[in-house]
Amino acid sequence: MSFPGTLDHLVYAVPDLAEAVTDFAQRSGVTPARGGSHPVGSANALVALTVDGRRAPHYLEIVGPDPEQEGPVTVFGLADLDRPRLATFAVRVDDDLGTVVERARQVGHDPGDVEPWSRTTPDGTVLRWLLAKREPDTYPAPVPFLIDWERTPQPGLGDLPALELLALRAEHPDPESLRPALGALGVDLDLRWGPRPLLEADLRGPRGDFVLC
């Protein structure tokens, strides 16, 4: 497997959600489904990610500022974003979320406190889950944030339009500095040296293979 087995979802951050959804559909041949709005001022659209042609607990979140909400959006670097980018990804954890946070802190990485998050879907349903997410100094961020869906169904297992996930890889100027954090989080990531932080996902859709970065 050329991506972390605990992958929950990829985060593709965009400055304009409607424009990005149109561009993504033209590029991939798959039109992302409307996800909903977050209280932090963002909104999203979703695509399921299959593996070997089968539905898997992974999905792609295209996230941007919600035009129906006022004020700056501080998550995923959206406030300063001038072009789309694969910003980061989320992983599920098998242990208690707080336990994994403390384990990461012991090796010098602070994933952030465990907090309740929510999203209101277009039909008015409120979905709730737990996150441990601290905004990094820069994006892209090869060290993921943590998610626990609790009793909420994971979106990627629903009836979303789908693309196939082939691989996820990262680059960083000092990859060895990130390995203790990745190990504490149980994340096996293809991480190599590069002149600047970078995330790339290889995807396959009706219009062929493409790289999202």
Side-chain angles (χ1 to χ4, degrees):
M1 184 180 296
S2 51
F3 53 86
T6 55
L7 173 70
D8 187 82
H9 65 278
L10 306 176
V11 177
Y12 189 51
V14 301
D16 185 300
L17 184 58
E19 181 179 306
V21 166
T22 299
D23 290 346
F24 189 87
Q26 293 174 345
R27 181 179 183 186
S28 68
V30 169
T31 300
R34 290 180 61 195
S37 299
H38 306 105
V40 293
S42 57
N44 65 11
L46 308 174
V47 174
L49 297 174
T50 63
V51 178
D52 296 329
R54 298 187 299 271
R55 289 269 171 166
H58 319 303
Y59 68 99
L60 169 67
E61 176 186 25
I62 304 175
V63 61
D66 185 351
E68 297 183 3
Q69 299 186 59
E70 298 181 355
V73 187
T74 58
V75 294
F76 303 123
L78 292 176
D80 302 316
L81 194 62
D82 58 2
R83 64 175 182 83
R85 67 183 172 200
L86 189 58
T88 189
F89 61 104
V91 295
R92 305 178 307 278
V93 296
D94 295 329
D95 296 332
D96 171 74
L97 201 54
T99 300
V100 179
V101 167
E102 289 306 315
R103 187 163 66 223
R105 286 171 175 166
Q106 289 174 8
V107 300
H109 173 67
D110 184 6
D113 296 330
V114 177
E115 298 179 340
W117 275 54
S118 65
R119 170 166 60 88
T120 302
T121 66
D123 67 6
T125 302
V126 179
L127 307 180
R128 303 183 188 279
W129 63 92
L130 296 177
L131 275 190
K133 182 186 179 301
R134 180 181 59 83
E135 286 295 305
D137 294 333
T138 60
Y139 282 104
V143 177
F145 61 100
L146 310 175
I147 192 166
D148 181 353
W149 286 101
E150 296 188 298
R151 291 181 293 276
T152 297
Q154 201 259 21
L157 297 179
D159 297 325
L160 295 174
L163 294 169
E164 185 164 5
L165 174 63
L166 304 175
L168 177 67
R169 58 187 169 273
E171 294 181 359
H172 192 270
D174 186 7
E176 294 307 313
S177 69
L178 305 184
R179 298 197 192 280
L182 293 171
L185 300 179
V187 175
D188 182 15
L189 178 65
D190 180 1
L191 175 64
R192 307 173 185 181
W193 180 88
R196 62 187 63 85
L198 174 70
L199 275 176
E200 291 184 327
D202 293 336
L203 301 173
R204 176 173 294 160
R207 295 186 177 170
D209 296 359
F210 65 101
V211 177
L212 196 66
C213 61

